[in-house]
mmCIF file of all heavy atoms in Angstrom:
data_model
loop_
_atom_site.group_PDB
_atom_site.id
_atom_site.type_symbol
_atom_site.label_atom_id
_atom_site.label_comp_id
_atom_site.label_asym_id
_atom_site.label_seq_id
_atom_site.Cartn_x
_atom_site.Cartn_y
_atom_site.Cartn_z
ATOM 1 N N ASN B 170 78.646 121.305 80.037
ATOM 2 C CA ASN B 170 79.710 122.169 80.547
ATOM 3 C C ASN B 170 80.582 122.582 79.358
ATOM 4 O O ASN B 170 81.376 121.802 78.856
ATOM 5 C CB ASN B 170 80.543 121.401 81.584
ATOM 6 C CG ASN B 170 81.613 122.292 82.201
ATOM 7 O OD1 ASN B 170 81.598 123.504 82.017
ATOM 8 N ND2 ASN B 170 82.530 121.660 82.931
ATOM 9 N N LYS B 181 93.931 144.209 65.967
ATOM 10 C CA LYS B 181 93.410 145.528 66.264
ATOM 11 C C LYS B 181 92.073 145.732 65.565
ATOM 12 O O LYS B 181 91.838 145.202 64.477
ATOM 13 C CB LYS B 181 94.393 146.608 65.814
ATOM 14 C CG LYS B 181 95.701 146.618 66.589
ATOM 15 C CD LYS B 181 96.584 147.743 66.101
ATOM 16 C CE LYS B 181 97.892 147.771 66.891
ATOM 17 N NZ LYS B 181 98.785 148.870 66.423
ATOM 18 N N ILE B 190 84.233 154.147 50.275
ATOM 19 C CA ILE B 190 83.279 154.096 49.169
ATOM 20 C C ILE B 190 82.517 152.782 49.273
ATOM 21 O O ILE B 190 83.132 151.706 49.346
ATOM 22 C CB ILE B 190 84.006 154.193 47.822
ATOM 23 C CG1 ILE B 190 84.791 155.511 47.756
ATOM 24 C CG2 ILE B 190 83.021 154.117 46.657
ATOM 25 C CD1 ILE B 190 85.648 155.642 46.529
ATOM 26 N N ILE B 194 80.249 150.377 43.959
ATOM 27 C CA ILE B 194 80.381 151.650 43.250
ATOM 28 C C ILE B 194 81.679 151.693 42.444
ATOM 29 O O ILE B 194 81.685 152.044 41.257
ATOM 30 C CB ILE B 194 80.305 152.836 44.231
ATOM 31 C CG1 ILE B 194 78.908 152.908 44.860
ATOM 32 C CG2 ILE B 194 80.640 154.141 43.532
ATOM 33 C CD1 ILE B 194 78.748 154.044 45.846
ATOM 34 N N TRP B 267 85.091 134.864 26.601
ATOM 35 C CA TRP B 267 85.072 136.289 26.284
ATOM 36 C C TRP B 267 85.850 137.092 27.322
ATOM 37 O O TRP B 267 86.514 138.066 26.985
ATOM 38 C CB TRP B 267 83.632 136.766 26.182
ATOM 39 C CG TRP B 267 83.510 138.262 26.103
ATOM 40 C CD1 TRP B 267 83.061 139.117 27.053
ATOM 41 C CD2 TRP B 267 83.887 139.080 24.980
ATOM 42 N NE1 TRP B 267 83.131 140.410 26.621
ATOM 43 C CE2 TRP B 267 83.629 140.420 25.335
ATOM 44 C CE3 TRP B 267 84.421 138.800 23.719
ATOM 45 C CZ2 TRP B 267 83.873 141.476 24.476
ATOM 46 C CZ3 TRP B 267 84.667 139.868 22.866
ATOM 47 C CH2 TRP B 267 84.400 141.180 23.239
ATOM 48 N N LEU B 290 109.149 158.271 31.587
ATOM 49 C CA LEU B 290 109.440 158.381 33.020
ATOM 50 C C LEU B 290 110.940 158.504 33.264
ATOM 51 O O LEU B 290 111.379 159.267 34.138
ATOM 52 C CB LEU B 290 108.866 157.170 33.754
ATOM 53 C CG LEU B 290 108.935 157.186 35.278
ATOM 54 C CD1 LEU B 290 108.169 158.360 35.842
ATOM 55 C CD2 LEU B 290 108.390 155.882 35.847
ATOM 56 N N ALA B 304 116.984 176.493 37.128
ATOM 57 C CA ALA B 304 116.191 177.718 37.283
ATOM 58 C C ALA B 304 116.712 178.596 38.412
ATOM 59 O O ALA B 304 116.470 179.810 38.424
ATOM 60 C CB ALA B 304 114.724 177.373 37.519
ATOM 61 N N ASP B 334 104.014 182.961 1.335
ATOM 62 C CA ASP B 334 103.882 182.102 0.155
ATOM 63 C C ASP B 334 102.459 181.581 0.006
ATOM 64 O O ASP B 334 101.893 181.573 -1.101
ATOM 65 C CB ASP B 334 104.867 180.937 0.247
ATOM 66 C CG ASP B 334 106.319 181.397 0.210
ATOM 67 O OD1 ASP B 334 106.565 182.519 -0.265
ATOM 68 O OD2 ASP B 334 107.199 180.639 0.687
ATOM 69 N N HIS B 350 81.585 182.452 -9.957
ATOM 70 C CA HIS B 350 82.094 181.116 -10.261
ATOM 71 C C HIS B 350 81.541 180.120 -9.238
ATOM 72 O O HIS B 350 81.362 180.451 -8.061
ATOM 73 C CB HIS B 350 83.625 181.110 -10.222
ATOM 74 C CG HIS B 350 84.242 179.908 -10.869
ATOM 75 N ND1 HIS B 350 84.342 178.698 -10.216
ATOM 76 C CD2 HIS B 350 84.789 179.728 -12.103
ATOM 77 C CE1 HIS B 350 84.929 177.820 -11.021
ATOM 78 N NE2 HIS B 350 85.211 178.420 -12.165
ATOM 79 N N ARG B 353 83.484 179.843 -6.014
ATOM 80 C CA ARG B 353 83.766 181.075 -5.267
ATOM 81 C C ARG B 353 83.444 180.928 -3.780
ATOM 82 O O ARG B 353 84.098 181.534 -2.923
ATOM 83 C CB ARG B 353 82.962 182.227 -5.867
ATOM 84 C CG ARG B 353 83.269 183.567 -5.217
ATOM 85 C CD ARG B 353 84.711 183.957 -5.460
ATOM 86 N NE ARG B 353 85.188 184.921 -4.490
ATOM 87 C CZ ARG B 353 86.404 185.454 -4.494
ATOM 88 N NH1 ARG B 353 87.270 185.091 -5.419
ATOM 89 N NH2 ARG B 353 86.759 186.318 -3.587
ATOM 90 N N THR B 386 90.298 177.081 -18.949
ATOM 91 C CA THR B 386 90.465 175.756 -18.348
ATOM 92 C C THR B 386 91.557 175.733 -17.288
ATOM 93 O O THR B 386 92.031 174.672 -16.926
ATOM 94 C CB THR B 386 90.797 174.733 -19.450
ATOM 95 O OG1 THR B 386 91.992 175.145 -20.121
ATOM 96 C CG2 THR B 386 89.654 174.612 -20.434
ATOM 97 N N ALA B 404 99.376 177.319 8.238
ATOM 98 C CA ALA B 404 100.277 178.471 8.183
ATOM 99 C C ALA B 404 99.839 179.570 9.144
ATOM 100 O O ALA B 404 100.674 180.174 9.837
ATOM 101 C CB ALA B 404 100.342 179.008 6.756
ATOM 102 N N ILE B 423 113.783 189.965 29.271
ATOM 103 C CA ILE B 423 113.880 191.283 29.914
ATOM 104 C C ILE B 423 113.796 191.148 31.432
ATOM 105 O O ILE B 423 114.534 191.822 32.179
ATOM 106 C CB ILE B 423 112.776 192.212 29.381
ATOM 107 C CG1 ILE B 423 113.010 192.494 27.893
ATOM 108 C CG2 ILE B 423 112.714 193.508 30.173
ATOM 109 C CD1 ILE B 423 111.912 193.308 27.245
ATOM 110 N N SER B 503 110.849 147.591 48.134
ATOM 111 C CA SER B 503 110.266 148.804 47.570
ATOM 112 C C SER B 503 109.970 149.805 48.690
ATOM 113 O O SER B 503 109.267 149.490 49.661
ATOM 114 C CB SER B 503 108.992 148.481 46.795
ATOM 115 O OG SER B 503 108.361 149.656 46.344
ATOM 116 N N MET B 523 97.339 160.131 51.481
ATOM 117 C CA MET B 523 98.273 161.201 51.135
ATOM 118 C C MET B 523 99.552 160.638 50.520
ATOM 119 O O MET B 523 100.080 161.185 49.549
ATOM 120 C CB MET B 523 98.600 162.033 52.376
ATOM 121 C CG MET B 523 97.435 162.870 52.884
ATOM 122 S SD MET B 523 96.789 164.003 51.634
ATOM 123 C CE MET B 523 98.227 165.016 51.320
ATOM 124 N N CYS B 533 103.015 160.939 37.728
ATOM 125 C CA CYS B 533 102.278 161.568 36.628
ATOM 126 C C CYS B 533 102.945 162.865 36.186
ATOM 127 O O CYS B 533 102.941 163.192 34.998
ATOM 128 C CB CYS B 533 100.838 161.840 37.064
ATOM 129 S SG CYS B 533 99.849 160.355 37.296
ATOM 130 N N ILE B 543 107.691 167.534 25.027
ATOM 131 C CA ILE B 543 108.168 166.887 23.810
ATOM 132 C C ILE B 543 107.622 167.627 22.593
ATOM 133 O O ILE B 543 106.550 168.232 22.618
ATOM 134 C CB ILE B 543 107.739 165.403 23.788
ATOM 135 C CG1 ILE B 543 108.532 164.638 22.741
ATOM 136 C CG2 ILE B 543 106.260 165.273 23.521
ATOM 137 C CD1 ILE B 543 108.264 163.146 22.784
ATOM 138 N N TYR B 550 103.015 169.792 19.158
ATOM 139 C CA TYR B 550 103.659 170.760 20.026
ATOM 140 C C TYR B 550 102.584 171.412 20.886
ATOM 141 O O TYR B 550 101.648 172.026 20.358
ATOM 142 C CB TYR B 550 104.393 171.815 19.198
ATOM 143 C CG TYR B 550 105.135 172.836 20.028
ATOM 144 C CD1 TYR B 550 105.874 172.456 21.131
ATOM 145 C CD2 TYR B 550 105.094 174.183 19.707
ATOM 146 C CE1 TYR B 550 106.551 173.381 21.880
ATOM 147 C CE2 TYR B 550 105.776 175.119 20.451
ATOM 148 C CZ TYR B 550 106.498 174.708 21.544
ATOM 149 O OH TYR B 550 107.166 175.634 22.302
ATOM 150 N N SER B 561 97.486 168.725 17.997
ATOM 151 C CA SER B 561 98.328 168.481 19.169
ATOM 152 C C SER B 561 97.492 168.250 20.420
ATOM 153 O O SER B 561 97.846 167.432 21.273
ATOM 154 C CB SER B 561 99.274 169.668 19.381
ATOM 155 O OG SER B 561 100.126 169.834 18.264
ATOM 156 N N MET B 607 96.218 138.610 35.010
ATOM 157 C CA MET B 607 97.344 138.556 34.093
ATOM 158 C C MET B 607 97.905 137.145 33.923
ATOM 159 O O MET B 607 98.810 136.930 33.127
ATOM 160 C CB MET B 607 98.459 139.487 34.586
ATOM 161 C CG MET B 607 98.050 140.944 34.641
ATOM 162 S SD MET B 607 97.616 141.575 33.014
ATOM 163 C CE MET B 607 97.045 143.218 33.436
ATOM 164 N N ILE B 619 107.806 142.811 35.037
ATOM 165 C CA ILE B 619 108.738 142.837 36.171
ATOM 166 C C ILE B 619 110.104 143.365 35.750
ATOM 167 O O ILE B 619 110.686 144.228 36.429
ATOM 168 C CB ILE B 619 108.867 141.429 36.789
ATOM 169 C CG1 ILE B 619 107.541 141.032 37.454
ATOM 170 C CG2 ILE B 619 110.001 141.384 37.800
ATOM 171 C CD1 ILE B 619 107.551 139.636 38.041
ATOM 172 N N ARG B 676 112.088 203.096 22.407
ATOM 173 C CA ARG B 676 111.687 204.223 21.569
ATOM 174 C C ARG B 676 110.181 204.434 21.597
ATOM 175 O O ARG B 676 109.704 205.568 21.663
ATOM 176 C CB ARG B 676 112.160 203.984 20.130
ATOM 177 C CG ARG B 676 113.654 204.133 19.930
ATOM 178 C CD ARG B 676 113.988 204.253 18.453
ATOM 179 N NE ARG B 676 113.584 203.060 17.716
ATOM 180 C CZ ARG B 676 114.377 202.019 17.487
ATOM 181 N NH1 ARG B 676 115.617 202.017 17.967
ATOM 182 N NH2 ARG B 676 113.953 200.981 16.797
ATOM 183 N N ARG B 738 104.621 226.385 20.504
ATOM 184 C CA ARG B 738 104.374 225.110 21.190
ATOM 185 C C ARG B 738 102.985 224.592 20.879
ATOM 186 O O ARG B 738 102.771 223.390 20.765
ATOM 187 C CB ARG B 738 104.566 225.289 22.693
ATOM 188 C CG ARG B 738 106.009 225.475 23.123
ATOM 189 C CD ARG B 738 106.147 225.330 24.622
ATOM 190 N NE ARG B 738 105.397 226.345 25.343
ATOM 191 C CZ ARG B 738 105.929 227.523 25.727
ATOM 192 N NH1 ARG B 738 107.191 227.805 25.442
ATOM 193 N NH2 ARG B 738 105.207 228.400 26.377
ATOM 194 N N ASP B 758 103.454 232.264 8.870
ATOM 195 C CA ASP B 758 103.062 231.973 10.246
ATOM 196 C C ASP B 758 101.660 232.482 10.465
ATOM 197 O O ASP B 758 101.433 233.672 10.644
ATOM 198 C CB ASP B 758 104.038 232.645 11.213
ATOM 199 C CG ASP B 758 103.797 232.205 12.645
ATOM 200 O OD1 ASP B 758 102.904 231.359 12.833
ATOM 201 O OD2 ASP B 758 104.495 232.708 13.550
ATOM 202 N N SER B 764 103.807 240.062 11.867
ATOM 203 C CA SER B 764 105.212 239.970 11.519
ATOM 204 C C SER B 764 105.544 240.684 10.225
ATOM 205 O O SER B 764 106.659 241.139 10.027
ATOM 206 C CB SER B 764 105.641 238.500 11.427
ATOM 207 O OG SER B 764 104.895 237.870 10.417
ATOM 208 N N GLY B 769 104.616 232.937 1.627
ATOM 209 C CA GLY B 769 105.336 231.992 0.793
ATOM 210 C C GLY B 769 104.429 231.147 -0.048
ATOM 211 O O GLY B 769 104.872 230.404 -0.907
ATOM 212 N N ARG B 779 88.065 238.330 -2.887
ATOM 213 C CA ARG B 779 87.101 237.874 -1.898
ATOM 214 C C ARG B 779 85.682 238.063 -2.367
ATOM 215 O O ARG B 779 84.780 237.349 -1.937
ATOM 216 C CB ARG B 779 87.338 238.636 -0.604
ATOM 217 C CG ARG B 779 86.460 238.148 0.540
ATOM 218 C CD ARG B 779 86.723 238.922 1.785
ATOM 219 N NE ARG B 779 88.125 238.829 2.127
ATOM 220 C CZ ARG B 779 88.796 239.776 2.781
ATOM 221 N NH1 ARG B 779 88.194 240.883 3.131
ATOM 222 N NH2 ARG B 779 90.066 239.626 3.066
#
Side-chain angles (χ1 to χ4, degrees):
N170 183 11
K181 294 182 179 180
I190 301 174
I194 294 180
W267 170 252
L290 187 61
D334 295 339
H350 196 279
R353 184 64 201 182
T386 59
I423 294 175
S503 175
M523 291 303 299
C533 291
I543 195 174
Y550 182 43
S561 299
M607 298 298 175
I619 292 178
R676 287 195 299 268
R738 289 193 297 268
D758 188 2
S764 61
R779 185 180 303 151

